[in-house]
Amino acid sequence: MFRKLGLAAFAVAFGTAAYAVDCPIKLGAILPVSGPMGQVGERIAETGLFAVEQFNEAGGVQGCPVEYVLRDTQGQSAVGVDAAKSLVDLDGVQALIGAVSSGVSLPVLTSVAVPSKVVQVSCCSSSESFTALAEEGKTEGYWFRTYATNRSQSAMGAKLVTDSGFERTAVIYVNTDFGVGLARRFEQDIAKLGGSITAMVAYNESQQSYRAEVTKALEGSPDSLYLVAFPVDGATITREWLALGGTDNLIVNNSLRSDDYFQAVGSQYLQNMQGYDSAQPRLPSVDSFNEMFEVRFDNPPNGPGLHSVYDAVTVVLLAMEASGDITGDSIRDNIRLVTSPDGIEVFPGPDGIARAKALLSEGKTIRYVGATGALAFDENGDVQAPKMTWKLDGDENVETGYLSTAEVAELIKMLDE
């Protein structure tokens, strides 16, 4: 089981060796471990710590232990910005992992990371706003993410709806940059595939009841609901939707692939629910991570952001290892060195990291093939990934379909024509 994280720093002691750089090396994490996304964020934060533990087991960065300094964003932009400023100004971190919500990551990027020349790598923020900023030169290369953009999410949601034969879909979505962008794309994609939308209803987070939003979404007698939410609010909305007579034909975004959500609603009421998520490529590196994760936590890595935060942390630490002086600029410039398509492949876990460190010490270029496969960041810091579809079979979350990266790209190309 996952244990509760305190808002503190974590490090693995190495003893009393002499180090060439100031020790420990701090890695900042801005993640929601309380609030509406706390249940999701807790698991993500634990997995980030797991990646740091494994790196430290392999000798740390440049002989120094890595200290994982976690700050809670509470899922709120103002809190997230303050947390990031504290990590940069007081703790002196040169890289930030996070945030989860695009609505938190975006102000952190523009008001903290870029002005401070600190690298920010998100495991989970999928808004297309980041791509637009990068194309305008406003991220200055300090932004990366290990999760694919909303573009693939809306495409997958629309495909699930129309492949299921649903013709009239209501949409309820969180009123954030992430939710608004995803809902708008979905509206375009569903029209392209021949479906129709009966209502588009935004909701604000952390309300005790969403009866008004649900009542509005029920107008027009929809035969399905596309729900873009996080587990706590998503469970409240779903319970009220079903209680007021809404269909149980639910299509849900990746964040609701969560045991907390299933338990809060009751899996017996969710047997007609379908969802999508980023999929792990069918690669040995993914199997290896899954096995190590299950040994560490006594359960499989099912849930949003777990694979991608592990890779976010590992890529940043490898970039630090490849740096001379560890600065935001050196980390930014070396992230692509350690994920080069022409590099020597290295894999997750202490043994893989130790090999990567040895190759870097010899001046070699490496290609990290991790928990999400072989990362390849484009000029905007974005990645592409395969997708999977899933449903509940009793209490078990089971995969029902798989689309390769090429197939996802083909789907998006068709929708954009």
Side-chain angles (χ1 to χ4, degrees), residues 120-187:
Q120 182 179 349
V121 184
S122 174
C123 62
C124 313
S125 295
S126 58
S127 170
E128 294 179 80
S129 297
F130 298 99
T131 303
L133 280 176
E135 289 173 343
E136 295 166 6
K138 294 180 179 178
T139 68
E140 298 182 19
Y142 293 105
W143 167 257
F144 297 86
R145 52 181 158 186
T146 52
Y147 190 83
T149 72
N150 273 355
R151 187 67 203 92
S152 58
Q153 286 212 51
S154 62
M156 289 300 297
K159 177 177 169 58
L160 269 176
V161 167
T162 53
D163 283 356
S164 300
F166 304 139
E167 298 177 349
R168 302 181 315 281
T169 304
V171 181
I172 300 178
Y173 59 96
V174 59
N175 190 20
T176 63
D177 186 73
F178 159 72
V180 171
L182 179 49
R184 287 175 178 169
R185 275 289 196 182
F186 176 82
E187 186 176 22

Side-chain angles (χ1 to χ4, degrees), residues 129-294:
S129 297
F130 298 99
T131 303
L133 280 176
E135 289 173 343
E136 295 166 6
K138 294 180 179 178
T139 68
E140 298 182 19
Y142 293 105
W143 167 257
F144 297 86
R145 52 181 158 186
T146 52
Y147 190 83
T149 72
N150 273 355
R151 187 67 203 92
S152 58
Q153 286 212 51
S154 62
M156 289 300 297
K159 177 177 169 58
L160 269 176
V161 167
T162 53
D163 283 356
S164 300
F166 304 139
E167 298 177 349
R168 302 181 315 281
T169 304
V171 181
I172 300 178
Y173 59 96
V174 59
N175 190 20
T176 63
D177 186 73
F178 159 72
V180 171
L182 179 49
R184 287 175 178 169
R185 275 289 196 182
F186 176 82
E187 186 176 22
Q188 297 167 6
D189 289 344
I190 201 76
K192 185 80 172 183
L193 293 177
S196 65
I197 288 179
T198 59
M200 296 276 290
V201 182
Y203 75 88
N204 295 317
E205 295 178 291
S206 302
Q207 299 181 56
Q208 291 186 343
S209 173
Y210 293 98
R211 188 181 184 91
E213 290 86 350
V214 167
T215 300
K216 183 176 180 181
L218 284 167
E219 295 175 1
S221 301
D223 61 9
S224 53
L225 171 67
Y226 180 48
L227 178 58
V228 180
F230 295 99
V232 173
D233 293 336
T236 302
I237 291 167
T238 303
R239 289 195 301 266
E240 293 183 332
W241 171 267
L242 295 173
L244 291 174
T247 175
D248 64 355
N249 293 328
L250 306 178
I251 306 296
V252 298
N253 72 301
N254 66 304
S255 299
L256 296 183
R257 186 176 170 232
S258 162
D259 289 341
D260 297 313
Y261 170 70
F262 307 151
Q263 292 166 9
V265 176
S267 58
Q268 68 270 30
Y269 304 113
L270 298 174
Q271 295 302 299
N272 284 337
M273 176 181 65
Q274 300 178 75
Y276 57 81
D277 201 353
S278 283
Q280 285 68 57
R282 276 44 175 167
L283 293 172
S285 67
V286 180
D287 295 336
S288 175
F289 167 78
N290 291 342
E291 292 167 5
M292 291 185 292
F293 185 99
E294 189 149 8

